[in-house]
């Protein structure tokens, strides 16, 4: 990180010395690069925390492979309005139709938009949910008096 910043600074100073840019443009360029770098690090960290099995994007999805799929509807989902409306999206279909690719691509879009994402396969999620009623039945005295049973 520091090495990258020093390289950017050196390159910017050379551009100033050569008369390509003035001081204000140099500061603007350096700040823009820093913001871009921070955003890229944020996205990279969020994708790691999301535990996606593989990173897929909508740009990499072959809509011609699945002609029955409504491309406009999928692109509308990528706008993530369903999140604000607290709606659930179900992707249904036989194996090999692109459901996992689309779900992962929507997760990547959500991360880019600053949303928290966490991937868990159905079997482990279902298993963890089977214990949820047991946690809710625990008495506060057994959980240290906490109101949180998660």
């Amino acid at each position: 990180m520091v090495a990258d910043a020093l390289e950017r600074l050196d390159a910017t100073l050379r551009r100033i010395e050569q008369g390509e840019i003035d001081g204000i443009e140099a500061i603007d360029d350096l700040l823009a690069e820093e913001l871009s770098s921070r955003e890229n690090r944020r996205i990279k960290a969020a994708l790691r925390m999301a535990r996606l099995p593989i990173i897929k994007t909508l740009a990499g999805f072959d809509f011609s492979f699945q002609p029955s799929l409504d491309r406009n509807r999928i692109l509308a989902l990528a706008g993530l309005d369903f999140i604000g409306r607290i709606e659930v999206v179900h992707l249904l279909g036989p194996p090999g139709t692109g459901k996992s690719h689309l779900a992962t691509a929507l997760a990547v879009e959500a991360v880019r938009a600053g949303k928290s994402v966490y991937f868990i396969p159905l079997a482990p999620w279902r298993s963890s949910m089977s214990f949820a009623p047991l946690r809710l039945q625990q008495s506060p005295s057994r959980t240290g008096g906490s109101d949180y049973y998660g």
Side-chain angles (χ1 to χ4, degrees), residues 47 49-54 100 103-104 107 116-122 125:
L47 287 173
M49 289 180 66
R51 299 181 66 191
L52 296 170
I54 190 165
S100 294
T104 304
S116 295
V117 171
Y118 184 75
F119 175 87
I120 185 169
L122 181 59
W125 176 78

Side-chain angles (χ1 to χ4, degrees), residues 112-146:
R112 288 180 178 157
K115 305 293 182 188
S116 295
V117 171
Y118 184 75
F119 175 87
I120 185 169
L122 181 59
W125 176 78
R126 186 172 178 210
S127 174
S128 71
M129 290 296 107
S130 67
F131 293 108
L134 296 175
R135 285 193 292 253
L136 291 175
Q137 292 174 3
Q138 291 178 346
S139 69
S141 62
R142 293 184 64 205
T143 59
S146 171

Side-chain angles (χ1 to χ4, degrees), residues 24-54:
I24 299 295
E25 290 172 311
I27 291 170
D28 189 46
D29 288 353
L30 289 170
L31 289 175
E33 287 180 26
E34 179 61 22
L35 284 174
S36 175
S37 177
R38 285 183 185 198
E39 178 66 4
N40 288 337
R41 284 193 308 270
R42 180 197 67 79
I43 290 170
K44 191 174 182 179
L47 287 173
R48 256 192 327 274
M49 289 180 66
R51 299 181 66 191
L52 296 170
I54 190 165

Side-chain angles (χ1 to χ4, degrees), residues 66-134:
Q66 195 54 256
S68 64
L69 192 61
D70 184 351
R71 180 186 187 116
N72 291 330
R73 187 177 228 173
I74 298 301
L75 295 178
L77 286 173
L80 307 174
D81 293 336
F82 68 93
I83 295 173
R85 294 188 305 262
I86 312 171
E87 295 176 346
V88 176
V89 174
H90 296 275
L91 301 171
L92 305 173
T97 55
K99 298 177 304 294
S100 294
H101 185 137
L102 290 174
T104 304
L106 290 174
V108 169
E109 289 298 319
V111 165
R112 288 180 178 157
K115 305 293 182 188
S116 295
V117 171
Y118 184 75
F119 175 87
I120 185 169
L122 181 59
W125 176 78
R126 186 172 178 210
S127 174
S128 71
M129 290 296 107
S130 67
F131 293 108
L134 296 175

